[in-house]
Amino acid sequence: MKLLEWQAQLAAQHFEKTGEITVIVQDNHPIHRSKQVREYWDKWQQQGLFFFQLPKYSSEMNLIEIEWHQLKTHELAGQIFPDE
C-alpha cells in the first residue's frame, strides 16, 4: 500500500502538470484486487492513477513471465542450491 500511495502521489503531480494519466499494468494476482486496494481506486483515479488488470492466464502478456521462463530454463535449470 505504501508503494501504491507513493505512485499515486507521483501520478497526481504528473497529472497536475501535464493532464496525462498514469497507468499501472498488473497481473491478476488476488492481492492486486484485494478489498483494501479497491477501496483506494476511486481516490487514485482522481489523482490520475489507473490500473489495468491483465486477463487471467495470460502469462504471454506479462513481461516478467518471459524473464522468469528464461531464468528457470537457462540459468537455474539443473542446479542444486543448499537452501531456498
Side-chain angles (χ1 to χ4, degrees), residues 1-12 14 20-29 31-33 37 40-41 44-45 47-55 61-63:
M1 291 300 297
K2 288 181 183 179
L3 175 64
L4 292 176
E5 278 293 316
W6 175 69
Q7 287 291 322
Q9 290 173 2
L10 294 177
H14 182 71
E20 296 175 344
I21 64 169
T22 300
V23 178
I24 295 178
V25 178
Q26 297 179 321
D27 62 16
N28 236 311
H29 192 279
I31 198 163
H32 297 149
R33 298 174 281 109
V37 171
Y40 284 85
W41 280 354
W44 291 335
Q45 286 180 4
Q47 292 175 291
L49 179 63
F50 291 78
F51 295 92
F52 177 78
Q53 304 293 331
L54 291 174
M61 295 178 75
N62 188 347
L63 297 179

Side-chain angles (χ1 to χ4, degrees), residues 39-69:
E39 289 175 355
Y40 284 85
W41 280 354
D42 287 337
K43 174 188 169 193
W44 291 335
Q45 286 180 4
Q46 291 173 4
Q47 292 175 291
L49 179 63
F50 291 78
F51 295 92
F52 177 78
Q53 304 293 331
L54 291 174
K56 291 181 180 180
Y57 308 110
S58 60
S59 58
E60 71 282 355
M61 295 178 75
N62 188 347
L63 297 179
I64 194 65
E65 294 297 335
I66 296 167
E67 296 298 323
W68 275 119
H69 176 73

